Amino acid sequence: PLSAQQVTMYNAIFRVGWEARQVAEVVKAPLWKGLWSTVRGKYGHDKVPAHDEFLMSSTSVYKYLQSELLGADNLNHLEDLFTEDLWPIIRETGSAYEKVRRMHDPDDCQIVWTSTRAFVCSLGPPEPPRNKFYAGARFFSVMNMKYEPDNVRHVIDDILFESEWDEDKGVKQW
């Protein structure tokens, strides 16, 4: 087991790394925004969501998915959101929280979000023969579980969104 001093040092090192990675994303953000604008110009402003719109909606999806993984007894309503190869991992993650849900009051199985910042981390417009549009978001979040208010977590998560591409209508759904 680690001593209290070792745990403190580990947490400090982790936090510095978390902050450094966030600074790197801030530096890259104008480049991603410019690329996003170029892609919208090429494929149509009415066919690709705006950069900020994508980040806002992806943050909502991220928070919703995280909250469902922690609090929902059944995740079947989420299956259509995931690829076939990812769905078993999502189910397994939800199952891992089953013990937590049994140990705590259902009202306490919630995430308390202090902050979340989203950045574009990948972009794949539909080039033939691929008929899909990809966009990735990286999230830097500070949060805690309601049942552990003093255990504040700094997390980094990535989500890759995939949408069918329609030549006439553009992105079908994120």
Side-chain angles (χ1 to χ4, degrees):
L2 298 174
S3 70
Q5 185 179 22
Q6 289 171 318
V7 169
T8 300
M9 183 60 92
Y10 171 79
N11 288 338
I13 290 169
F14 176 83
R15 180 70 186 274
V16 167
W18 186 87
E19 294 288 353
R21 288 188 62 191
Q22 189 170 197
V23 166
E25 293 302 324
V26 168
V27 169
K28 294 187 296 186
L31 300 172
W32 280 113
K33 193 168 189 166
L35 179 60
W36 194 281
S37 179
T38 300
V39 168
R40 282 188 85 208
K42 178 177 179 180
Y43 291 95
H45 286 73
D46 58 329
K47 296 179 182 181
V48 177
H51 176 270
D52 293 346
E53 178 187 347
F54 167 73
L55 290 178
M56 285 176 34
S57 65
S58 65
T59 300
S60 295
V61 168
Y62 167 70
K63 287 181 173 184
Y64 174 75
L65 291 175
Q66 292 289 354
S67 296
E68 289 296 289
L69 286 171
L70 174 63
D73 290 327
N74 185 323
L75 298 175
N76 288 340
H77 61 288
L78 302 176
E79 186 171 2
D80 290 342
L81 301 176
F82 297 94
T83 58
E84 222 175 271
D85 56 329
L86 189 56
W87 177 240
I89 297 166
I90 297 300
R91 261 196 348 250
E92 186 178 316
T93 302
S95 295
Y97 282 113
E98 185 177 344
K99 292 177 189 172
V100 171
R101 288 190 293 275
R102 283 187 285 177
M103 290 174 38
H104 300 283
D105 184 284
D107 289 339
D108 289 337
C109 290
Q110 297 177 29
I111 298 173
V112 178
W113 300 95
T114 303
S115 66
T116 300
R117 288 184 75 183
F119 300 91
V120 174
C121 64
S122 62
L123 187 59
E127 298 294 335
R130 188 181 73 207
N131 202 29
K132 296 186 187 254
F133 194 101
Y134 299 94
R138 178 162 295 140
F139 304 95
F140 289 78
S141 296
V142 179
M143 47 84 133
N144 64 277
M145 306 305 175
K146 189 173 178 184
Y147 59 83
E148 290 182 327
D150 296 330
N151 186 11
V152 176
R153 302 174 187 196
H154 292 74
V155 296
I156 303 170
D157 289 307
D158 291 354
I159 297 181
L160 180 63
F161 295 88
E162 172 187 294
S163 173
E164 294 292 325
W165 177 259
D166 181 295
E167 283 295 324
D168 296 323
K169 297 178 183 173
V171 171
K172 287 191 176 181
Q173 177 184 345
W174 285 117

